[in-house]
């Protein structure tokens, strides 16, 4: 088995292709899934057959940057589940995750958010902005924020009109 790519952002949601070896080729009555085992968290994902030699899945979100073991498991009705192959996989922090952390840290700080002027001047293509927005939103949902955190920051005197 070979995973492509061999890494994904911490917040997940990336397509992973699994290239099978000849002896692992997909039969119609076999269901494959992937088990990602990290130091503290384990994830199980279903797969979709692309062709007899390839599967596809969506990477799960993970709790920290680390290399995990990915086990390709096969299941067939009336038979025990088999671990077919294992491969290393990395969860990494990317630019979208960095941006989400920055935004969370700077909530309520007007001066820190002046980078939007740069975006206004550089005028990236709308499709790029939409793609980045989706990734930052995914990363933001994955952040571990304190229960008392809010978008207004520490200044609770602001109202919705001030936003």
């Amino acid at each position: 088995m070979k995973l492509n790519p061999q890494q994904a952002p911490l917040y997940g949601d990336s397509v992973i292709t699994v290239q099978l070896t000849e002896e692992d080729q997909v039969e119609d009555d076999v269901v494959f899934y992937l088990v990602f085992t990290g130091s503290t968290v384990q994830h199980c994902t279903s797969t979709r057959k692309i062709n007899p030699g390839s599967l596809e899945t969506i990477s799960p979100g993970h709790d920290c940057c680390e290399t995990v073991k990915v086990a390709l498991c096969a299941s067939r009705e009336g038979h025990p589940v088999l671990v077919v192959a294992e491969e290393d996989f990395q969860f990494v922090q990317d630019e979208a995750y960095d941006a989400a952390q920055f935004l969370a840290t700077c909530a309520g700080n007007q001066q820190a958010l002046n980078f939007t002027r740069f975006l206004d001047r550089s005028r990236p293509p709308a499709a790029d902005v939409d793609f980045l927005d989706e990734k930052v939103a995914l990363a933001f949902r994955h952040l571990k924020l304190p229960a008392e955190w809010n978008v207004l920051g520490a200044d609770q005197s602001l109202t919705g009109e001030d936003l």
Side-chain angles (χ1 to χ4, degrees), residues 41-153:
V41 179
Q42 191 173 50
H43 314 279
C44 184
T45 64
S46 60
T47 64
R48 181 177 71 92
K49 176 181 164 183
I50 299 172
N51 59 51
S54 299
L55 305 169
E56 191 174 73
T57 193
I58 303 296
S59 65
H62 195 61
D63 65 334
C64 64
C65 295
E66 69 176 338
T67 299
V68 300
K69 275 285 184 220
V70 178
L72 175 64
C73 299
S75 174
R76 178 184 275 165
E77 193 168 331
H79 293 84
V81 174
L82 297 174
V83 175
V84 177
E86 286 188 331
E87 180 86 19
D88 285 339
F89 187 81
Q90 286 188 311
F91 283 99
V92 297
Q93 188 167 326
D94 67 354
E95 296 83 12
Y97 197 85
D98 290 341
Q101 282 186 315
F102 173 77
L103 291 170
T105 302
C106 296
N109 181 348
Q110 297 291 324
Q111 297 304 315
L113 300 179
N114 283 334
F115 75 91
T116 57
R117 291 185 194 152
F118 167 75
L119 288 177
D120 288 342
R121 282 192 299 253
S122 65
R123 300 254 187 248
D128 291 350
V129 171
D130 291 343
F131 180 74
L132 179 61
D133 187 49
E134 287 176 26
K135 293 297 181 189
V136 170
L138 277 170
F140 208 94
R141 283 193 294 266
H142 194 76
L143 290 178
K144 291 177 177 71
L145 299 170
E148 66 277 358
W149 184 92
N150 72 66
V151 73
L152 300 176

Side-chain angles (χ1 to χ4, degrees), residues 107-108 148-160 162:
E148 66 277 358
W149 184 92
N150 72 66
V151 73
L152 300 176
D155 186 358
Q156 299 298 315
S157 65
L158 295 174
T159 67
D162 293 329

